[in-house]
Amino acid sequence: MTMHRTPGRPTPEQVAGEVCAVDLVAACARRDGAEALALVNVLTGQDLLVRHIAQLKLAELLTDAMGRTGAGPGDAAAPAAPARVAQELVVLLERVRYPDGVQTAVAALIAGDHRPISRTDGTVSLLAFALATAAFGTAGWPDGGLLALLRERRERLAL
């Protein structure tokens, strides 16, 4: 007997990957380094499909956040991020421990160079995308708007 999924209904792996991505960005946005690292450790222990889905969701969240600040992702002619994004990144990097390569990738992205972050993988990629999303998102959705958006997405996933 062949099992068929109902179209439009996410698989458990999709939900797990999206939840991990949303929770990781939220931890970074709250500047909770301990939670961010714990989530990365949980995520790296997950099935490859869950990690892949989380990485795709992180890229999507980053694209949305960059768009809110006027810094277009993947566009070599896109403007550099506003100074507020760089300031937020400095604070985040002080509060969240990260492996080598994260700071370089995120700093380059903020300066308008998308190549370093696109070449990351594993833990470096997860944290680089989450930290960049938190920095851009905090600038793009001021007054707690990023956390409200992430809570809303998380609640939809819990249904």
Side-chain angles (χ1 to χ4, degrees):
M1 178 162 137
T2 304
M3 299 285 294
H4 296 282
R5 288 225 173 260
T6 306
R9 199 153 176 149
T11 66
E13 294 85 4
Q14 287 172 310
V15 171
E18 289 191 32
V19 164
C20 284
V22 167
D23 288 351
L24 180 56
V25 172
C28 289
R30 285 191 309 273
R31 301 173 179 165
D32 187 340
E35 184 180 354
L37 288 175
L39 287 164
V40 167
N41 288 334
V42 166
L43 193 51
T44 55
Q46 293 286 332
D47 177 84
L48 181 61
L49 179 58
V50 172
R51 288 193 314 265
H52 179 69
I53 290 168
Q55 189 66 56
L56 291 174
K57 178 51 82 174
L58 285 167
E60 178 185 311
L61 291 168
L62 177 58
T63 299
D64 292 348
M66 290 180 75
R68 292 284 298 198
T69 64
D75 180 2
R84 182 156 185 237
V85 177
Q87 291 168 348
E88 181 62 23
L89 178 63
V90 168
V91 174
L92 288 172
L93 290 174
E94 289 174 353
R95 304 242 168 89
V96 178
R97 290 184 333 156
Y98 51 88
D100 291 341
V102 170
Q103 183 174 2
T104 303
V106 177
L109 179 67
I110 288 173
D113 184 357
H114 305 272
R115 292 171 301 195
I117 201 167
S118 67
R119 293 181 182 138
T120 62
D121 62 2
T123 301
V124 171
S125 182
L126 294 170
L127 273 172
F129 273 83
L131 286 166
T133 301
F136 277 96
T138 300
W141 286 283
D143 302 322
L146 173 63
L147 288 172
L149 175 76
L150 292 170
R151 267 192 306 277
E152 183 180 297
R153 287 187 183 196
R154 182 68 161 80
E155 288 169 5
R156 277 198 317 257
L157 291 167
L159 296 178

